[in-house]
Short mmCIF file of all heavy atoms in Angstrom, two decimals:
data_model
loop_
_atom_site.label_atom_id
_atom_site.label_comp_id
_atom_site.label_asym_id
_atom_site.label_seq_id
_atom_site.Cartn_x
_atom_site.Cartn_y
_atom_site.Cartn_z
N VAL A 1 49.69 220.70 -42.28
CA VAL A 1 48.91 219.46 -42.37
C VAL A 1 48.95 218.93 -43.81
O VAL A 1 49.19 217.74 -44.03
CB VAL A 1 47.45 219.67 -41.91
CG1 VAL A 1 46.58 218.48 -42.30
CG2 VAL A 1 47.38 219.91 -40.42
N LEU A 2 48.72 219.82 -44.76
CA LEU A 2 48.68 219.41 -46.16
C LEU A 2 50.03 218.91 -46.67
O LEU A 2 50.09 218.16 -47.65
CB LEU A 2 48.18 220.55 -47.05
CG LEU A 2 46.73 220.98 -46.81
CD1 LEU A 2 46.38 222.21 -47.63
CD2 LEU A 2 45.77 219.83 -47.09
N THR A 3 51.11 219.31 -46.01
CA THR A 3 52.44 218.85 -46.41
C THR A 3 52.98 217.77 -45.47
O THR A 3 54.17 217.45 -45.52
CB THR A 3 53.43 220.04 -46.50
OG1 THR A 3 53.47 220.72 -45.24
CG2 THR A 3 53.02 221.00 -47.60
N GLY A 4 52.10 217.23 -44.62
CA GLY A 4 52.49 216.10 -43.78
C GLY A 4 53.33 216.46 -42.56
O GLY A 4 53.91 215.57 -41.94
N ARG A 5 53.37 217.72 -42.19
CA ARG A 5 54.17 218.16 -41.03
C ARG A 5 53.21 218.41 -39.87
O ARG A 5 52.94 219.54 -39.49
CB ARG A 5 54.97 219.38 -41.43
CG ARG A 5 55.98 219.03 -42.53
CD ARG A 5 56.53 220.21 -43.27
NE ARG A 5 57.23 221.13 -42.41
CZ ARG A 5 57.66 222.32 -42.82
NH1 ARG A 5 57.43 222.71 -44.05
NH2 ARG A 5 58.27 223.13 -41.99
N PHE A 6 52.74 217.32 -39.28
CA PHE A 6 51.65 217.37 -38.32
C PHE A 6 52.03 217.99 -36.98
O PHE A 6 51.23 218.67 -36.37
CB PHE A 6 51.08 215.96 -38.13
CG PHE A 6 50.63 215.36 -39.44
CD1 PHE A 6 51.31 214.29 -39.97
CD2 PHE A 6 49.57 215.89 -40.13
CE1 PHE A 6 50.91 213.74 -41.18
CE2 PHE A 6 49.16 215.36 -41.35
CZ PHE A 6 49.84 214.28 -41.87
N VAL A 7 53.26 217.80 -36.53
CA VAL A 7 53.69 218.40 -35.27
C VAL A 7 53.78 219.91 -35.41
O VAL A 7 53.34 220.66 -34.52
CB VAL A 7 55.04 217.80 -34.81
CG1 VAL A 7 55.59 218.52 -33.59
CG2 VAL A 7 54.89 216.31 -34.52
N GLU A 8 54.34 220.38 -36.53
CA GLU A 8 54.42 221.82 -36.76
C GLU A 8 53.01 222.42 -36.85
O GLU A 8 52.77 223.52 -36.35
CB GLU A 8 55.19 222.14 -38.05
CG GLU A 8 56.67 221.89 -37.94
CD GLU A 8 57.08 220.54 -38.53
OE1 GLU A 8 56.24 219.60 -38.52
OE2 GLU A 8 58.21 220.43 -38.98
N ALA A 9 52.09 221.70 -37.48
CA ALA A 9 50.71 222.17 -37.58
C ALA A 9 50.11 222.35 -36.19
O ALA A 9 49.49 223.38 -35.90
CB ALA A 9 49.86 221.20 -38.39
N PHE A 10 50.31 221.38 -35.33
CA PHE A 10 49.79 221.45 -33.96
C PHE A 10 50.40 222.64 -33.23
O PHE A 10 49.71 223.35 -32.49
CB PHE A 10 50.10 220.15 -33.22
CG PHE A 10 49.44 220.08 -31.88
CD1 PHE A 10 48.14 219.63 -31.76
CD2 PHE A 10 50.11 220.48 -30.73
CE1 PHE A 10 47.51 219.57 -30.52
CE2 PHE A 10 49.50 220.42 -29.49
CZ PHE A 10 48.19 219.97 -29.39
N HIS A 11 51.69 222.90 -33.45
CA HIS A 11 52.35 224.04 -32.80
C HIS A 11 51.73 225.36 -33.22
O HIS A 11 51.52 226.24 -32.39
CB HIS A 11 53.85 224.04 -33.14
CG HIS A 11 54.55 225.30 -32.75
ND1 HIS A 11 54.85 225.60 -31.45
CD2 HIS A 11 54.96 226.35 -33.49
CE1 HIS A 11 55.43 226.80 -31.40
NE2 HIS A 11 55.50 227.27 -32.63
N TYR A 12 51.43 225.51 -34.50
CA TYR A 12 50.91 226.79 -34.98
C TYR A 12 49.46 227.02 -34.59
O TYR A 12 49.08 228.15 -34.28
CB TYR A 12 51.11 226.93 -36.49
CG TYR A 12 52.45 227.55 -36.79
CD1 TYR A 12 53.56 226.75 -37.00
CD2 TYR A 12 52.61 228.92 -36.80
CE1 TYR A 12 54.80 227.31 -37.24
CE2 TYR A 12 53.85 229.50 -37.04
CZ TYR A 12 54.94 228.68 -37.25
OH TYR A 12 56.16 229.24 -37.47
N ASN A 13 48.64 226.00 -34.64
CA ASN A 13 47.28 226.13 -34.14
C ASN A 13 46.68 224.73 -34.00
O ASN A 13 46.25 224.14 -34.99
CB ASN A 13 46.40 227.01 -35.03
CG ASN A 13 45.18 227.48 -34.27
OD1 ASN A 13 44.57 226.73 -33.52
ND2 ASN A 13 44.82 228.74 -34.45
N PRO A 14 46.65 224.21 -32.77
CA PRO A 14 46.17 222.85 -32.56
C PRO A 14 44.71 222.64 -32.99
O PRO A 14 44.32 221.51 -33.29
CB PRO A 14 46.35 222.61 -31.07
CG PRO A 14 46.51 223.95 -30.46
CD PRO A 14 47.05 224.85 -31.52
N CYS A 15 43.94 223.70 -33.05
CA CYS A 15 42.53 223.56 -33.43
C CYS A 15 42.34 223.30 -34.91
O CYS A 15 41.22 223.00 -35.34
CB CYS A 15 41.75 224.80 -33.00
SG CYS A 15 41.62 224.93 -31.21
N ILE A 16 43.41 223.35 -35.69
CA ILE A 16 43.28 223.08 -37.12
C ILE A 16 42.69 221.69 -37.36
O ILE A 16 41.91 221.48 -38.28
CB ILE A 16 44.61 223.26 -37.87
CG1 ILE A 16 44.38 223.30 -39.38
CG2 ILE A 16 45.62 222.19 -37.51
CD1 ILE A 16 43.58 224.46 -39.86
N TYR A 17 43.03 220.74 -36.49
CA TYR A 17 42.51 219.38 -36.66
C TYR A 17 41.00 219.33 -36.43
O TYR A 17 40.30 218.57 -37.11
CB TYR A 17 43.25 218.42 -35.74
CG TYR A 17 44.71 218.32 -36.11
CD1 TYR A 17 45.68 218.91 -35.32
CD2 TYR A 17 45.09 217.66 -37.27
CE1 TYR A 17 47.02 218.84 -35.68
CE2 TYR A 17 46.42 217.58 -37.63
CZ TYR A 17 47.39 218.18 -36.84
OH TYR A 17 48.70 218.11 -37.20
N LEU A 18 40.50 220.13 -35.50
CA LEU A 18 39.05 220.20 -35.29
C LEU A 18 38.35 220.81 -36.50
O LEU A 18 37.29 220.35 -36.91
CB LEU A 18 38.74 221.00 -34.02
CG LEU A 18 39.27 220.42 -32.71
CD1 LEU A 18 39.01 221.39 -31.56
CD2 LEU A 18 38.65 219.06 -32.45
N TRP A 19 38.95 221.86 -37.07
CA TRP A 19 38.37 222.49 -38.25
C TRP A 19 38.36 221.53 -39.44
O TRP A 19 37.39 221.49 -40.20
CB TRP A 19 39.10 223.78 -38.62
CG TRP A 19 38.84 224.90 -37.67
CD1 TRP A 19 39.75 225.53 -36.87
CD2 TRP A 19 37.58 225.53 -37.40
NE1 TRP A 19 39.12 226.50 -36.12
CE2 TRP A 19 37.79 226.53 -36.44
CE3 TRP A 19 36.29 225.33 -37.88
CZ2 TRP A 19 36.77 227.33 -35.94
CZ3 TRP A 19 35.26 226.14 -37.38
CH2 TRP A 19 35.52 227.13 -36.43
N ILE A 20 39.44 220.75 -39.58
CA ILE A 20 39.50 219.78 -40.68
C ILE A 20 38.42 218.72 -40.51
O ILE A 20 37.74 218.35 -41.48
CB ILE A 20 40.91 219.16 -40.78
CG1 ILE A 20 41.90 220.22 -41.28
CG2 ILE A 20 40.90 217.93 -41.69
CD1 ILE A 20 43.36 219.80 -41.19
N LEU A 21 38.26 218.21 -39.29
CA LEU A 21 37.21 217.22 -39.04
C LEU A 21 35.83 217.80 -39.33
O LEU A 21 34.97 217.12 -39.94
CB LEU A 21 37.28 216.71 -37.60
CG LEU A 21 38.44 215.78 -37.27
CD1 LEU A 21 38.49 215.51 -35.77
CD2 LEU A 21 38.33 214.48 -38.06
N LEU A 22 35.59 219.03 -38.91
CA LEU A 22 34.30 219.67 -39.17
C LEU A 22 34.08 219.85 -40.67
O LEU A 22 32.99 219.57 -41.18
CB LEU A 22 34.23 221.02 -38.45
CG LEU A 22 32.95 221.81 -38.65
CD1 LEU A 22 31.73 221.04 -38.14
CD2 LEU A 22 33.05 223.16 -37.95
N ALA A 23 35.10 220.30 -41.38
CA ALA A 23 34.98 220.49 -42.83
C ALA A 23 34.72 219.15 -43.53
O ALA A 23 33.91 219.07 -44.46
CB ALA A 23 36.24 221.14 -43.40
N ALA A 24 35.38 218.09 -43.07
CA ALA A 24 35.16 216.76 -43.65
C ALA A 24 33.73 216.30 -43.41
O ALA A 24 33.07 215.77 -44.32
CB ALA A 24 36.16 215.76 -43.06
N TYR A 25 33.22 216.52 -42.21
CA TYR A 25 31.84 216.14 -41.89
C TYR A 25 30.85 216.91 -42.76
O TYR A 25 29.96 216.31 -43.38
CB TYR A 25 31.56 216.38 -40.40
CG TYR A 25 30.09 216.34 -40.06
CD1 TYR A 25 29.39 215.14 -40.12
CD2 TYR A 25 29.40 217.49 -39.68
CE1 TYR A 25 28.02 215.09 -39.82
CE2 TYR A 25 28.05 217.45 -39.38
CZ TYR A 25 27.37 216.25 -39.45
OH TYR A 25 26.03 216.21 -39.16
N VAL A 26 31.01 218.22 -42.82
CA VAL A 26 30.09 219.05 -43.61
C VAL A 26 30.20 218.68 -45.08
O VAL A 26 29.18 218.54 -45.78
CB VAL A 26 30.35 220.55 -43.37
CG1 VAL A 26 29.56 221.41 -44.35
CG2 VAL A 26 30.01 220.92 -41.94
N GLY A 27 31.42 218.51 -45.58
CA GLY A 27 31.62 218.13 -46.98
C GLY A 27 31.00 216.78 -47.31
O GLY A 27 30.36 216.61 -48.35
N TRP A 28 31.19 215.82 -46.43
CA TRP A 28 30.60 214.49 -46.63
C TRP A 28 29.08 214.59 -46.70
O TRP A 28 28.46 214.03 -47.60
CB TRP A 28 31.03 213.56 -45.50
CG TRP A 28 30.45 212.19 -45.62
CD1 TRP A 28 29.31 211.72 -45.03
CD2 TRP A 28 30.94 211.12 -46.41
NE1 TRP A 28 29.07 210.43 -45.40
CE2 TRP A 28 30.06 210.02 -46.25
CE3 TRP A 28 32.04 210.97 -47.24
CZ2 TRP A 28 30.26 208.81 -46.89
CZ3 TRP A 28 32.24 209.75 -47.88
CH2 TRP A 28 31.35 208.69 -47.69
N GLN A 29 28.52 215.29 -45.73
CA GLN A 29 27.05 215.42 -45.70
C GLN A 29 26.54 216.15 -46.94
O GLN A 29 25.58 215.72 -47.57
CB GLN A 29 26.60 216.15 -44.43
CG GLN A 29 26.79 215.36 -43.15
CD GLN A 29 25.94 214.12 -43.10
OE1 GLN A 29 26.42 213.03 -43.32
NE2 GLN A 29 24.66 214.29 -42.83
N ARG A 30 27.17 217.27 -47.26
CA ARG A 30 26.69 218.12 -48.35
C ARG A 30 26.90 217.50 -49.72
O ARG A 30 25.99 217.46 -50.55
CB ARG A 30 27.41 219.48 -48.29
CG ARG A 30 27.19 220.37 -49.49
CD ARG A 30 25.82 221.01 -49.47
NE ARG A 30 25.63 221.79 -50.66
CZ ARG A 30 24.69 221.55 -51.56
NH1 ARG A 30 23.83 220.57 -51.38
NH2 ARG A 30 24.57 222.30 -52.62
N TYR A 31 28.09 217.03 -49.98
CA TYR A 31 28.41 216.60 -51.34
C TYR A 31 28.20 215.11 -51.58
O TYR A 31 27.66 214.74 -52.61
CB TYR A 31 29.84 217.02 -51.70
CG TYR A 31 29.98 218.51 -51.65
CD1 TYR A 31 30.72 219.13 -50.66
CD2 TYR A 31 29.28 219.33 -52.54
CE1 TYR A 31 30.81 220.51 -50.57
CE2 TYR A 31 29.35 220.70 -52.46
CZ TYR A 31 30.11 221.29 -51.48
OH TYR A 31 30.17 222.65 -51.40
N ILE A 32 28.58 214.27 -50.66
CA ILE A 32 28.45 212.83 -50.87
C ILE A 32 27.02 212.37 -50.59
O ILE A 32 26.42 211.67 -51.40
CB ILE A 32 29.45 212.04 -49.99
CG1 ILE A 32 30.89 212.54 -50.21
CG2 ILE A 32 29.34 210.53 -50.24
CD1 ILE A 32 31.38 212.46 -51.63
N ARG A 33 26.49 212.77 -49.44
CA ARG A 33 25.14 212.33 -49.07
C ARG A 33 24.04 213.23 -49.63
O ARG A 33 22.88 212.83 -49.69
CB ARG A 33 25.03 212.24 -47.55
CG ARG A 33 25.99 211.19 -46.99
CD ARG A 33 25.73 210.79 -45.59
NE ARG A 33 24.44 210.12 -45.47
CZ ARG A 33 23.66 210.24 -44.41
NH1 ARG A 33 24.05 210.97 -43.38
NH2 ARG A 33 22.52 209.61 -44.34
N GLY A 34 24.38 214.48 -49.98
CA GLY A 34 23.39 215.40 -50.52
C GLY A 34 22.41 215.90 -49.48
O GLY A 34 21.27 216.23 -49.80
N LYS A 35 22.86 215.94 -48.23
CA LYS A 35 21.99 216.38 -47.14
C LYS A 35 22.62 217.55 -46.40
O LYS A 35 23.82 217.80 -46.50
CB LYS A 35 21.78 215.24 -46.15
CG LYS A 35 21.07 214.05 -46.75
CD LYS A 35 20.87 212.97 -45.73
CE LYS A 35 20.09 211.82 -46.35
NZ LYS A 35 19.76 210.81 -45.37
N LYS A 36 21.79 218.22 -45.63
CA LYS A 36 22.28 219.28 -44.76
C LYS A 36 23.04 218.63 -43.60
O LYS A 36 22.62 217.60 -43.07
CB LYS A 36 21.11 220.10 -44.22
CG LYS A 36 21.52 221.29 -43.42
CD LYS A 36 20.31 222.12 -43.01
CE LYS A 36 20.78 223.29 -42.19
NZ LYS A 36 19.68 224.12 -41.74
#
């Protein structure tokens, strides 16, 4: 994913995209908004 090879990423573990979305949500809430 970090190197832009999205199909290969999906092949190795399709759930990586869910983890990235979750990390983005938690990071946004924690660091940008300052909330839990």
Side-chain angles (χ1 to χ4, degrees):
V1 167
L2 295 174
T3 57
R5 296 163 60 189
F6 304 112
V7 173
E8 288 98 331
F10 188 85
H11 168 75
Y12 271 92
N13 199 319
C15 292
I16 193 65
Y17 295 106
L18 297 174
W19 288 117
I20 290 170
L21 287 173
L22 179 61
Y25 166 68
V26 170
W28 179 265
Q29 290 296 102
R30 170 76 183 119
Y31 299 110
I32 306 302
R33 296 195 65 214
K35 297 181 177 185
K36 185 176 179 181

